[in-house]
Amino acid sequence: MPLKLKFVLLIVLYLVTTFTIHAQIDSKPTPNDAELLESFIKKEPTAPHSETEVRVGYGEDRAANAAKVKDAAALDEAPVFKQSPYVMREFRAAWVATVANINWPSRNGLSTRQQQEEAIQLLDFLKAHHYNAVIFQARPQADALYHSYLEPWSFFLSGEVGKEPSPWYDPLQFWIDAAHERGMELHVWLNPYRAHHGTGGAVVPKSLVKTNPDIMVPLRNGMWWMDPSKQATQDHSSAVVMDIVRRYNIDGIHFDDYFYPYASYNGGQDFPDAVSYQAYIKSGGKLSKADWRRAAVNTFVKRIYQEIKAEKPEVKFGISPFGIWRPGFPKSIRGLDQYNELYADAKLWLNEGWIDYFTPQLYWKIDKSGQSFPLLLEWWEQENTQKRHLWPGIRIDYGRDAANVDETINQIKLTRSLTAESVGTAHWSISSLLNDRKLAKALLDGPYKKQALVPASPWLNATPPATPQVDTKMDGHTLTISWNHTATEGISNWVVFYKYGETWDYIILDKTKDSITLALFSGGLEDRESLTAIGVTAVDKTGNQSSFNAVELNEMVLGTS
């Protein structure tokens, strides 16, 4: 059935069957929003909320804890994998842009302490609002917000290209450690070809524009770009990516939509690579200039994917291209043709599985004529033939009002319905959350009320980690649960499951925790329920969850007989 017809029929079905939609937000969606939304929404399972006393413990001596662990073979004796109770899976990320000091640091020239304090505030905010990933821009313009041997320190840190932090620290390492300590993934966002941004100060001798002039071309808006067709460009950008992959414990490498630049960056003129193309033709090349450019980008994307997998298969590679592949796909879609302007064949990368997650920038509203959010998302889902993660990028800054809250929450719900294999969204950007506290609260009270694990990536690794060894200790009206594991270095999160009466619930903890204290009873005297069972699972870097062993609690011991 054509997408447009399917879309219309679903809306008609909604109008016939229901006229209400309930969202846990301060204001209700408008009738138009509801009509467009409800036909796509599939309700996700929810776990009842319980006002339970919870105290989390930190491991003070990991070596001592490891010494308590029994032989690994004993832990693996169970022949059957036991599925845990329900735990939500959803990628919840926000972009943190460093170019032009958009998000972090708030301005260049801040002290090390000020930069670190700002980073912690951002990560604490995301953690408190149940996000589980951050997409951090570590290379905004062929420079580095980390200790690099290939490119100079970023202007956006100090206001001077090549100036290292003082007192010295590695910002990327700081962000990685702080994110992991909060149980969040850290994806390193790089611009593969942009060499100098208009807000990046003067082009100085330490700039790559000066040190590698053979691969650079100027644009009319003041930017400099690496020529994507040149082997030296691809080799250098690949070296940058792989240097990060090898030296840092990251969860993902992330490219955005800047391949060949937007035409407006060069005053509407063609990209200045005529010399490179003529050299290609003289060498016997037969491709048109457009196909030649696309081939260069395609070769680079495939190369990066293969090189990452050869070095560290568990590191995910993601791209967030412009949200429209070409006008007319699907038929009602209009807008920029990235295939012929950015020379990015994003559909091919998704079809071929050259990425682990795909985050098209669907920065349009649900009812936007010509760029309908649900129609585009459904089209991309149909192109996801390799069943990779499809986590669209959404815009969350349409205004600090109830309409923006409705739009954001409705888009999240549509994503849950249309990408059932692996749900999630990335939000542009973290500043919008910070500046719109009504939106942040609505997300936490609504779709993000429950914590969620990042969806697993079984094509990278499908082997579950060993099951934690669990101990319990009662003290008065509380139960302390502690655990040990044979390989804590490969763990990203723990999930503690607990059951009051007949209802399971859970809490997701970061890898630094090794205990938690629960109340033996929930609710008031008249409706209180006793804690009847608990269990702990381990989650590794690719999202695999260990087998679940429930520990049933004796009601006689709890004093409920």
Side-chain angles (χ1 to χ4, degrees):
M1 181 183 296
L3 290 176
K4 185 173 181 181
L5 178 58
K6 181 177 179 181
F7 182 65
V8 171
L9 288 176
L10 287 171
I11 293 177
V12 172
L13 178 62
Y14 160 75
L15 291 171
V16 173
T17 59
T18 182
F19 287 91
T20 60
I21 181 169
H22 300 283
Q24 296 173 339
I25 53 176
D26 293 338
S27 57
K28 297 180 180 178
T30 64
N32 285 338
D33 289 338
E35 291 170 9
L36 286 163
L37 171 67
E38 186 70 14
S39 60
F40 284 96
I41 292 177
K42 178 178 64 179
K43 295 181 179 179
E44 67 281 353
T46 58
H49 174 66
S50 59
E51 296 180 357
T52 304
E53 177 187 358
V54 178
R55 297 197 298 275
V56 177
Y58 294 74
E60 297 180 356
D61 190 342
R62 305 306 298 183
N65 287 337
K68 300 177 184 178
V69 180
K70 295 180 180 180
D71 185 82
L75 294 175
D76 294 331
E77 288 178 357
V80 178
F81 181 88
K82 298 178 182 178
Q83 190 68 39
S84 76
Y86 170 77
V87 57
M88 190 171 189
R89 295 266 185 169
E90 182 173 47
F91 186 71
R92 301 171 181 173
W95 276 286
V96 175
T98 57
V99 66
N101 298 107
I102 292 174
N103 300 137
W104 183 89
S106 59
R107 65 178 190 277
N108 61 57
L110 294 180
S111 68
T112 292
R113 179 182 61 81
Q114 290 171 319
Q115 290 177 7
Q116 292 176 345
E117 287 177 349
E118 285 191 353
I120 292 300
Q121 289 173 359
L122 295 178
L123 288 169
D124 280 347
F125 181 88
L126 291 176
K127 175 66 175 177
H129 288 78
H130 292 172
Y131 285 73
N132 53 28
V134 58
I135 304 172
F136 174 71
Q137 190 176 33
R139 189 207 191 202
Q141 54 164 19
D143 56 4
L145 281 89
Y146 61 97
H147 184 216
S148 173
Y149 302 96
L150 300 170
E151 296 182 331
W153 283 100
S154 177
F155 171 88
F156 301 112
L157 280 174
S158 65
E160 180 181 333
V161 175
K163 184 178 180 179
E164 64 184 23
S166 180
W168 194 94
Y169 84 114
D170 187 320
L172 176 56
Q173 188 63 60
F174 184 86
W175 273 84
I176 292 169
D177 292 342
H180 288 172
E181 288 169 2
R182 288 156 178 78
M184 301 171 63
E185 290 192 349
L186 191 290
H187 294 237
V188 177
W189 167 17
L190 306 99
N191 296 105
Y193 302 126
R194 187 168 63 199
H196 181 76
H197 191 269
T199 64
V203 177
V204 298
K206 290 183 179 179
S207 170
L208 225 68
V209 173
K210 295 294 187 181
T211 60
N212 297 56
D214 292 344
I215 60 174
M216 302 294 174
V217 295
L219 303 180
R220 292 176 178 242
N221 69 347
M223 290 187 185
W224 286 80
W225 219 261
M226 301 181 199
D227 185 341
S229 71
K230 291 193 172 182
Q231 189 64 43
T233 293
Q234 298 182 28
D235 290 345
H236 178 80
S237 291
S238 170
V240 169
V241 170
M242 295 312 299
D243 176 51
I244 293 172
V245 170
R246 293 186 182 102
R247 292 196 294 123
Y248 293 92
N249 181 27
I250 62 172
D251 300 287
I253 289 290
H254 182 94
F255 288 170
D256 56 17
D257 54 324
Y258 296 111
F259 293 95
Y260 279 82
Y262 288 89
S264 60
Y265 290 8
N266 199 37
Q269 300 299 308
D270 193 30
F271 184 76
D273 60 356
V275 173
S276 298
Y277 182 63
Q278 287 305 312
Y280 163 75
I281 293 298
K282 289 179 181 179
S283 69
K286 302 297 184 181
L287 295 175
S288 68
K289 183 182 284 188
D291 287 340
W292 168 73
R293 287 172 175 171
R294 278 188 292 272
V297 175
N298 292 339
T299 298
F300 180 70
V301 168
K302 183 179 181 180
R303 171 182 177 175
I304 294 299
Y305 186 75
Q306 292 176 336
E307 289 180 346
I308 290 173
K309 298 311 153 195
E311 184 68 28
K312 287 184 181 179
E314 72 276 11
V315 172
K316 293 186 278 285
F317 179 41
I319 298 179
S320 58
F322 184 71
I324 299 170
W325 177 59
R326 303 199 70 182
F329 294 87
K331 287 186 177 180
S332 63
I333 297 301
R334 303 186 300 274
L336 182 141
D337 186 348
Q338 69 169 311
Y339 183 85
N340 272 333
E341 181 167 325
L342 307 181
Y343 303 97
D345 191 353
K347 184 174 81 72
L348 177 69
W349 313 334
L350 182 62
N351 294 159
E352 294 293 333
W354 294 343
I355 42 83
D356 297 305
Y357 69 94
F358 195 67
T359 307
Q361 297 174 17
L362 302 186
Y363 294 165
W364 301 284
K365 292 184 178 182
I366 292 171
D367 60 354
K368 173 68 173 174
S369 177
Q371 295 92 34
S372 165
F373 174 86
L375 285 180
L376 282 166
L377 180 58
E378 189 176 29
W379 185 83
W380 282 116
E381 173 64 18
Q382 291 180 356
E383 293 297 328
N384 188 15
T385 55
Q386 301 296 322
K387 301 303 179 186
R388 297 305 199 232
H389 300 301
L390 177 56
W391 299 326
I394 66 173
R395 177 182 169 186
I396 58 174
D397 63 346
Y398 286 109
R400 300 177 196 176
D401 54 18
N404 186 56
V405 171
D406 291 346
E407 183 70 33
T408 300
I409 291 179
N410 289 348
Q411 289 193 9
I412 291 171
K413 290 185 176 183
L414 281 168
T415 301
R416 291 176 177 181
S417 175
L418 295 175
T419 58
E421 292 294 325
S422 172
V423 302
T425 53
H427 296 176
W428 176 259
S429 69
I430 193 171
S431 292
S432 301
L433 292 167
L434 296 169
N435 296 331
D436 190 348
R437 293 306 177 107
K438 184 176 182 181
L439 171 61
K441 183 178 185 300
L443 289 172
L444 187 60
D445 291 343
Y448 289 179
K449 188 170 187 176
K450 295 294 296 181
Q451 292 174 292
L453 293 173
V454 173
S457 303
W459 58 90
L460 300 182
N461 173 26
T463 303
T467 304
Q469 177 186 348
V470 177
D471 294 311
T472 59
K473 181 180 179 180
M474 280 192 293
D475 183 9
H477 293 287
T478 63
L479 179 76
T480 296
I481 308 163
S482 59
W483 54 89
N484 289 292
H485 198 269
T486 57
T488 55
E489 67 278 0
I491 301 305
S492 60
N493 293 99
W494 312 103
V495 185
V496 178
F497 296 90
Y498 52 92
K499 182 165 69 169
Y500 286 93
E502 298 301 320
T503 303
W504 281 106
D505 207 338
Y506 65 87
I507 183 170
I508 300 172
L509 302 175
D510 66 75
K511 65 179 183 179
T512 67
K513 312 297 192 301
D514 65 3
S515 67
I516 186 172
T517 300
L518 302 176
L520 292 177
F521 303 97
S522 68
L525 291 176
E526 296 182 357
D527 60 350
R528 77 175 188 173
E529 292 185 304
S530 60
L531 184 64
T532 57
I534 59 94
V536 181
T537 60
V539 184
D540 67 16
K541 282 179 65 68
T542 50
N544 296 307
Q545 191 177 9
S546 68
S547 182
F548 176 74
N549 292 331
V551 178
E552 301 293 336
L553 303 180
N554 191 319
E555 291 188 353
M556 292 291 291
V557 174
L558 292 176
T560 59
S561 61

